[in-house]
Amino acid sequence: MRLFVAIPMPPIAQALARGIADRNGERFPGYRWIRPDLLHIPIKFIGDVDDVTTTAARTAIGSISPGEPISLKYGQPFLLGPADDKRVLVMKLTGEIDRLEEIHSKLEESFARLGFARETRPFLPHVTVAHLDHEARPLKNAPKIDLPKPWFFTTGIHLMKSTLGRPEPAYETLLRIPMLDSTTL
């Protein structure tokens, strides 16, 4: 089974992303926008694993405390991929990025203690919002756009199972670690 760790986007962030797509889709010709309910902040990709490794991943995630909800906002879009083939459109995130980095670091430590390989690339707080269709020509750079003003708050970290498919993958939450507001405890 194919696993990753992510922070799902809350409904308000999904609605904001839909608005960005509706207002700016024509500025990104050939890019297919992802359904808002599939949007997430990728924290760690685990890959194709067996049941034993899945249990270890649950243990690694369960050993950390994500703290309180994280306040975030969408930043400018940019493109990921090789210089001549940028096929992934993402939105940068702004706000409490240091908290996302802290969660990423805690998860890397927890996974490493259980024998998982560490990620070698720097952590990039973002949300993938679109992919380039195979026959389309990639943009060289993402145009600047007007951004929505509202902030949103994350609610938990999820261990996700991904089943690849067309036009989009199917995701299933295997484990959810909630972020709890200490003022309501």
Side-chain angles (χ1 to χ4, degrees):
M1 103 182 50
R2 189 171 192 260
L3 302 181
F4 65 95
V5 179
I7 298 174
M9 300 306 283
I12 183 68
Q14 293 175 19
L16 293 171
R18 173 54 62 205
I20 290 170
D22 290 347
R23 287 188 306 280
N24 297 283
E26 74 285 345
R27 299 183 73 192
F28 299 91
Y31 287 84
R32 182 180 29 83
W33 294 79
I34 296 170
R35 281 192 352 240
D37 62 305
L38 297 177
L39 299 177
H40 59 273
I41 303 166
I43 304 294
K44 181 167 184 63
F45 180 71
I46 301 167
D48 289 316
V49 298
D50 58 20
D51 290 343
V52 171
T53 307
T54 300
T55 300
R58 287 176 188 264
T59 300
I61 294 169
S63 72
I64 73 154
S65 172
E68 295 184 356
I70 300 172
S71 176
L72 298 170
K73 196 175 190 180
Y74 286 118
Q76 287 296 324
F78 68 103
L79 298 165
L80 292 178
D84 60 342
D85 196 25
K86 296 181 178 184
R87 304 189 78 74
V88 180
L89 175 63
V90 304
M91 298 294 294
K92 284 186 179 181
L93 294 170
T94 64
E96 295 181 313
I97 299 306
D98 56 331
R99 300 260 327 278
L100 287 176
E101 291 168 345
E102 181 182 332
I103 287 172
H104 176 263
S105 179
K106 285 180 182 179
L107 277 170
E108 283 293 331
E109 281 298 317
S110 183
F111 273 89
R113 280 193 302 273
L114 294 173
F116 287 84
R118 289 184 182 271
E119 177 61 59
T120 57
R121 296 171 296 183
F123 177 63
L124 178 64
H126 72 280
V127 177
T128 299
V129 294
H131 293 279
L132 187 65
D133 286 329
H134 290 292
E135 64 281 351
R137 231 169 81 205
L139 296 173
K140 295 214 182 291
N141 295 298
K144 299 279 187 212
I145 63 170
D146 289 329
L147 294 169
K149 304 225 183 301
W151 292 82
F152 52 86
F153 295 88
T154 61
T155 59
I157 299 172
H158 292 203
L159 174 62
M160 305 292 295
K161 174 184 173 186
S162 172
T163 304
L164 298 179
R166 294 266 179 216
E168 296 173 332
Y171 297 145
E172 177 186 346
T173 299
L174 301 180
L175 178 66
R176 180 179 184 271
I177 306 294
M179 295 175 178
L180 301 174
D181 186 346
S182 64
T183 62
T184 61
L185 297 178

